[in-house]
Structure formats: C-alpha cells, structure tokens
Amino acid sequence: MRSKRKNPFVRLCSVMAGIVLLCAVYHPAFAAQAEKPSKWWQKTIAYEIYVKSFKDSDGDGTGDLRGILSELDHLKNLGVGAIWLTPCFVSPQKDNGYDVANYYDIDPAYGSMEDMENLIEEAKKRKIRIVLDLVFNHTSNENEWFQESRSGRDNEKSDWYIWKDPGKDGNAPNNWRSIFGGSAWTYDEERGQYYLHTFLPEQPDLNWANPEVRRALIDVADFWVEKGVGGFRLDAITYIRKPEDFSDGKPDAGDGTVGIHAMTANTDGILDYLGEFKAAVQDGTDIFTVGEANGVSADELPEWVGPDGVFDMVFEFSHVSIDVADEMNWCKTRSWTLPELKACFTASQKTTESTGGWYPVFLENHDQPRSISHFLPEGADRVAGGKALATLVLTMRGTPFIMEGEELGFVNVSWDDIEDYQDISTRNHYQFALDEGYSEEEAMEGVHHFARDSARTPMQWDQSENAGFTEGTPWLPVYEDYSVYNVDSEMADPKSVLNWYLTLSRLRGEHEELVTGSYEELFHDDEQIFAYTREKDDKKAVILINFSAQEASYDDACIEGARLLLSTNENNVKGRLAPFEAAIYQAAA
Ligand code: TEU
C-alpha cells in the first residue's frame, strides 16, 4: 500500500534552496532586512489552544474561556506571549467552530463576550496577547448572511456566496471535490441553485469578489482589534479567490472528481484582496497576522511575508505534508528521509530570512498528527523524542508555535473503533478508504496515522480523573497515559519534556541569536542528525539533533572550542549524539 509517488511539496523543497539564493541577491527587500525592527511577536512564543479541549470550568465536558483564564499561569511559565485560540464564535460546531454563524459573539458552549473581554485583559496583565482565528473563506450555513443569500436571487446578499446553476442533467456545475470528500457543490432547494463549499456542505464559501463581502469581513476584524486582541490567524486563506473558469478539472480520483485545492488554491489576484485587508485592518496597529497558506510555495513567500507582504507570517505545509502521498487517501503514505525533511525547513528558513520575512516554526497544529508519532521512528522514546523535537521548534528562526499538549510529549491516539473518532474529516477519510476497496483494518491504520482527533484530545493537567480537564464527561476521551503525562507530574520531574521546554524557552530569551540570527544547515546528507547554526553579530549557536534511536557520530570541527550550553544527555560527548539527543553549543562567530 505504500506509494512512492513524489510529493510535490517535497519536490519543490529540493529546488527551493537555489531559488532562495537568487532571491537573496536580487530581491530589493534584502537590503532592508538589517533595519527591520524587532516586533513583540517576533520575540515571543505562540501557543495554540484548541478551546474545546483545553480546560472545562463548568463540568459540561467541553473546554471554555473561563477554563483558559484559570490556566494562564501555565502559559506564562512557558514564556508564551501570544495565544492562538481556535474559533470560539457562535457556531453549530459541524467542524468544531470552523463554521461560524455569528462573528460578533461567543458560542455559549465556550462562554460569553464578557468572558472573552476578561480573558483579553487578564492575559494582557501577564504580557500575553490573545490571537483569534478568523474563518473567512466560508461561514456556517446557519450564518444569517447565508440564510439571506439562499432565500432568492434578488436579495441584498444574493451574491455573497458562490452560486451556480445546475450543470447538464441537473448535476453539480463541475467535478470539483471538497477537501473533506464528496462534491464541492450542494444543491439548495430554496434558491434552486448549487453553492460552492471548499470544505463541508455546512461551510459555504464566501464570494470575496464582491466588495461588500470584503467590507463585512474587515468590519469583523476591526471589531476584534477594538476589543484588544493581539493578532489573527487567517484560516484556509489560500482558497478565498476563485478562478474565472469554473469548468471541470482533470480527474485525480476513480470517481472522476478533482480535488478543489488544485483548482482554486492561490489563484492570481489573491494578494490584492489580502493587501486591501491588511491596509484596512492592520496598518497603524501592533497586531500580527499569520495566514494558513496551504498552496503557497517558498519562492512566493516574499510577496506573502516579506517587508511589504500581506501577512507577518504564513504557515506553509511542506514539512508536515512530507508523508502525504494522496491528500484524500490516508492509506497511502509516502516514505521520506531526514535530508528531505531538512530541505523543507531550510527552504522556508532561508527564503524568509533572505527576504526580510518572518516564519512561524511549527510541527503540530489541530489538523496534524502529533509530532513524535509523525516525525520520529515508531516506538521512539517519548521523553527523549519530545525533547529532540522541542529543540528544533525553539531554536529555528521565527516565532515558535506550540500546540497544546506538545509541551507534554503527547502522541497519536490509536482507538480501535471509528465511532470513537469525532472529527468529520476523519470519518470521511475512513469511508473514502472503504469505498476505494481498502479493508477496515487498512482504513483504521490510515486513521491512526493522520486523524485530526489525535491533536484534539483533552489537555492533561494532573493525575485526577479525566486528567483535571473536566469534572463531567469529556467530549473526546482523555488519552490513557494521563497519569504520567500531565502538567503537575511533569513540572515535578526535572527530566520531563515540559521542563525541557521551560529550559529552552529561558535559553531563547537570553540568546538573541536563537531568535533573529541567520540560519545555516550543516551535514545535509546525514540521515540521522539535523544540525544547523544560528548566528548574529559575534554570537553563534550550533544545534545538533539526533532524529534516530541509534547513536550518531559527526565531525566535531563545527564545535571546536565551543561551549556546551545545553544537552538532553548528561553524558554529552563532542562528536557523538546519544539516541534522540539534542545539544546546543555556543561557538565564537
Ligand atoms: O484547515 C484548512 C486546510 O486546508 C487543512 O484541512 C489542510 O488541508 C490540512 O491542514 C493539510 O494538512 C482549516 C482549519 O485548520 C481546519 O481545522 C478546518 O477544518 C478547515 O480550515 C475548514 O475551516
């Protein structure tokens, strides 16, 4: 079942390093780089909270804003200065809040507007800013905007969504397949037309071509800036501009459909919309923006995040997609090597650096597998492995983004029954595999690898029932390992993953070169070690991480005369790394 098909993201990475160098030489932004002032969000650590799973304050089994408020000190300890909250606006929760029915209010399951205002204020007192997740490619079908739009063809919002007449024989207008599976079109009886949805039928796409829609979205963002938020993550932003041509695409699946990503991601002209949004919302404020930019390649990064870019940072996906052979078919994975993974990071590190842009360093988010399960060999020691990966996230150039639980060493869940998985996309992918003829066992293997639920199990606070997440029944089972992997126990254990995060966070605060220093990869072809330097003025750090369960050796000329700052191995020896050891040396630049 393993596919050898070359992943386009990875292929791209291999050629990017060369393009980067050219950009560095010719891009006018390069000259401006040295003068770029350091912003608050460049110096801090960001932390993603999956609101539903972080902390429940009222016993209903669902995390909420008051729960977050009660745990701000954990984040303060970690050195977090920005909290990205997954959407907590009013929503029917078909996609856990990524289907917004009202952008101007908080979903009662998560609290009230007052709770949000309190959270923003209390966080500020701890020098932490709240970052909201703006889902602007689509709304919920229960949003009033959509309700009005579907009510006929001549209401004020009739053109706020993407409506098309049926194609031949009353079928969908074209063969595009949504990202969660099934046609990207749903017929609406009331209006007598099909509407487009990149994701679920309950998530109709907004029509950004309509200036009134863009204005309405700017108003939403302004409303939250006024409330004092520190920034925004812009969800699925590469899909907002649709092409002129809505004809069929070349099928990429047995059922004659083509994934919508290939048809609509990063359509020409998208930067005009985003530039307009930036000028209207962000200019004159100190907020930051980070776009979820699946479909933007490294050579395009300067336009997106360079000094005149439309965002401050964008999440690009080459490294997390390294094992994806077919987005829709989770039973096909692609085998990969460490040099390929390094190439992905190096390409985005160098491109953003050489064009004066900034990068959000991440290995996990709420859509991705847990990083220990994703990037380390099966059976890897969780504590050593978790520390190795933490070292990467906290020593690359950019703002580290930590997913809740990552700091405790969480791994993927492998439940036996598909019914235990709540995420609709997980269930759809499972069904797709069965439809393609895979056995239930094979389909479950794909789920164990890719299910988004793995990143969404409740946060583990202590050894009490349900890991201190809730006094009720958690909406998703707490992972069975909670008596060992929880905040209380790990705080008390100097050798825990959590304490390693705290140590790295302090080190980062003390070493400017780890934040803004230039990045240079070492030992590219080494299959075990990921190594690089970070250099600024007369300071140079050398970072060496063993990604394998075997001891690894390297040429120690790169650390000659250098001083060991930190290692996960008490018996660290120059020239050798223990299994999963991570070491940071300080060398003279
Ligand atoms: O995700 C958009 C998206 O494109 C991802 O599902 C992407 O395909 C995947 O991460 C690639 O590995 C965003 C949200 O993060 C996700 O939770 C939502 O379900 C989705 O948008 C719809 O709003």
Side-chain angles (χ1 to χ4, degrees):
M1 286 302 159
R2 304 248 148 194
S3 159
K4 292 280 171 210
R5 190 151 71 83
K6 188 88 168 150
N7 181 328
F9 285 124
V10 177
R11 204 166 40 213
L12 194 65
C13 286
S14 337
V15 292
M16 268 177 329
I19 297 172
V20 164
L21 288 177
L22 287 176
C23 288
V25 176
Y26 294 112
H27 200 281
F30 186 53
Q33 174 195 351
E35 293 129 47
K36 202 176 182 222
S38 230
K39 308 267 178 40
W40 70 269
W41 43 265
Q42 293 178 306
K43 289 182 268 186
T44 197
I45 293 174
Y47 185 92
E48 179 184 356
I49 287 185
Y50 200 67
V51 180
K52 203 168 175 181
S53 298
F54 193 63
K55 177 86 178 183
D56 174 21
S57 73
D58 58 8
D60 66 357
T62 294
D64 48 45
L65 299 180
R66 286 185 187 201
I68 297 171
L69 188 68
S70 70
E71 297 294 357
L72 283 178
D73 290 336
H74 169 61
L75 304 176
K76 182 77 204 153
N77 262 345
L78 259 177
V80 167
I83 300 175
W84 153 22
L85 297 182
T86 52
C88 36
F89 313 104
V90 176
S91 161
Q93 306 287 337
K94 292 289 189 251
D95 185 20
N96 288 348
Y98 283 91
D99 46 326
V100 179
N102 179 2
Y103 295 100
Y104 289 100
D105 211 348
I106 302 300
D107 195 289
Y110 298 138
S112 62
M113 184 59 91
E114 199 186 336
D115 293 334
M116 178 58 96
E117 287 164 354
N118 255 340
L119 182 62
I120 292 171
E121 283 319 305
E122 287 301 315
K124 261 191 201 159
K125 285 183 193 158
R126 293 163 175 84
K127 294 202 165 45
I128 299 176
R129 303 291 295 274
I130 298 295
V131 174
L132 296 184
D133 201 330
L134 296 181
V135 188
F136 278 179
N137 173 67
H138 46 271
T139 67
S140 159
N141 59 339
E142 292 184 21
N143 193 303
E144 275 180 10
W145 298 349
F146 185 72
Q147 291 301 322
E148 187 174 340
S149 189
R150 73 188 292 202
S151 68
R153 297 186 192 200
D154 55 6
N155 62 73
E156 279 184 9
K157 295 193 172 50
S158 61
D159 187 36
W160 277 41
Y161 294 82
I162 299 175
W163 295 100
K164 295 273 179 235
D165 288 329
K168 279 190 274 55
D169 308 326
N171 292 335
N174 64 30
N175 68 343
W176 299 356
R177 185 182 65 247
S178 82
I179 287 179
F180 292 161
S183 172
W185 297 95
T186 291
Y187 185 71
D188 185 77
E189 294 284 349
E190 201 172 326
R191 170 142 166 169
Q193 278 185 308
Y194 280 88
Y195 63 88
L196 184 71
H197 48 89
T198 301
F199 298 92
L200 295 176
E202 293 86 354
Q203 293 170 302
D205 279 33
L206 283 160
N207 178 17
W208 275 66
N210 181 336
E212 285 174 25
V213 169
R214 304 203 298 272
R215 183 70 249 166
L217 296 174
I218 287 168
D219 288 347
V220 170
D222 280 347
F223 173 84
W224 289 105
V225 171
E226 284 288 304
K227 292 265 178 213
V229 300
F232 297 117
R233 174 215 186 232
L234 277 296
D235 182 67
I237 204 66
T238 34
Y239 303 113
I240 59 172
R241 184 154 186 145
K242 313 300 187 244
E244 305 274 308
D245 183 7
F246 276 77
S247 47
D248 281 357
K250 189 164 165 259
D252 63 5
D255 62 359
T257 59
V258 57
I260 192 168
H261 177 93
M263 306 309 294
T264 64
N266 199 6
T267 298
D268 272 355
I270 187 171
L271 293 169
D272 298 340
Y273 293 161
L274 293 172
E276 176 188 80
F277 182 82
K278 178 178 192 279
V281 173
Q282 193 178 6
D283 288 358
T285 73
D286 69 346
I287 68 163
F288 76 86
T289 56
V290 54
E292 189 197 19
N294 205 350
V296 171
S297 61
D299 59 327
E300 292 162 316
L301 282 174
E303 291 168 314
W304 286 74
V305 296
D308 302 317
V310 290
F311 288 118
D312 295 306
M313 303 177 249
V314 295
F315 293 116
E316 62 95 20
F317 287 82
S318 57
H319 60 298
V320 288
S321 304
I322 196 159
D323 52 351
V324 176
D326 176 341
E327 291 271 355
M328 210 46 226
N329 189 344
W330 284 358
C331 293
K332 282 190 192 158
T333 51
R334 177 187 171 277
S335 46
W336 54 276
T337 64
L338 187 61
E340 287 175 325
L341 184 70
K342 295 193 250 187
C344 295
F345 276 105
T346 298
S348 34
Q349 286 281 294
K350 296 300 282 177
T351 313
T352 45
E353 179 187 327
S354 62
T355 56
W358 201 246
Y359 182 73
V361 190
F362 78 105
L363 291 176
E364 293 186 13
N365 66 33
H366 64 286
D367 296 329
Q368 295 294 327
R370 289 295 183 174
S371 53
I372 294 174
S373 311
H374 201 174
F375 299 111
L376 298 181
E378 220 177 312
D381 177 320
R382 276 174 72 172
V383 175
K387 291 180 185 178
L389 295 175
T391 309
L392 183 91
V393 174
L394 284 151
T395 62
M396 287 226 164
R397 183 181 176 279
T399 301
F401 275 71
I402 301 170
M403 173 69 201
E404 70 176 55
E406 188 176 357
E407 80 275 31
L408 301 177
F410 276 22
V411 291
N412 282 357
V413 293
S414 347
W415 298 321
D416 294 332
D417 191 347
I418 189 65
E419 291 302 317
D420 290 336
Y421 290 82
Q422 298 294 317
D423 173 36
I424 181 79
S425 124
T426 300
R427 291 180 174 207
N428 287 356
H429 278 86
Y430 174 80
Q431 190 54 49
F432 180 88
L434 296 184
D435 294 347
E436 290 283 298
Y438 290 89
S439 68
E440 283 179 15
E441 207 183 350
E442 288 166 332
M444 278 319 280
E445 215 179 292
V447 166
H448 292 163
H449 188 85
F450 287 115
R452 307 197 301 178
D453 308 63
S454 283
R456 302 174 178 189
T457 59
M459 182 64 173
Q460 297 168 191
W461 296 101
D462 55 39
Q463 294 188 326
S464 66
E465 204 182 342
N466 294 323
F469 163 68
T470 180
E471 287 179 358
T473 308
W475 73 277
L476 195 64
V478 174
Y479 197 45
E480 60 263 25
D481 65 2
Y482 73 86
S483 64
V484 179
Y485 296 95
N486 65 71
V487 174
D488 265 14
S489 307
E490 293 202 31
M491 278 307 283
D493 173 5
K495 294 191 171 162
S496 67
V497 179
L498 178 55
N499 266 307
W500 183 249
Y501 269 91
L502 299 182
T503 304
L504 286 172
S505 166
R506 271 194 301 275
L507 187 81
R508 199 179 155 84
E510 291 157 4
H511 288 262
E512 167 87 27
E513 71 273 22
L514 292 178
V515 180
T516 50
S518 60
Y519 166 98
E520 218 51 70
E521 199 193 317
L522 301 173
F523 314 135
H524 176 74
D525 295 329
D526 194 299
E527 302 265 350
Q528 287 173 281
I529 301 175
F530 196 157
Y532 46 93
T533 58
R534 301 294 315 284
E535 188 170 344
K536 187 178 171 75
D537 304 329
D538 59 345
K539 295 278 173 48
K540 179 172 173 181
V542 182
I543 295 102
L544 298 140
I545 306 169
N546 184 355
F547 266 64
S548 78
Q550 286 76 41
E551 189 175 282
S553 56
Y554 62 93
D555 177 354
D556 61 5
C558 62
I559 48 167
E560 207 185 316
R563 180 170 74 93
L564 179 69
L565 285 177
L566 275 183
S567 167
T568 53
N569 173 14
E570 288 166 356
N571 305 312
N572 166 277
V573 182
K574 279 188 178 173
R576 282 214 306 270
L577 291 171
F580 302 114
E581 178 177 352
I584 305 175
Y585 284 88
Q586 183 162 46

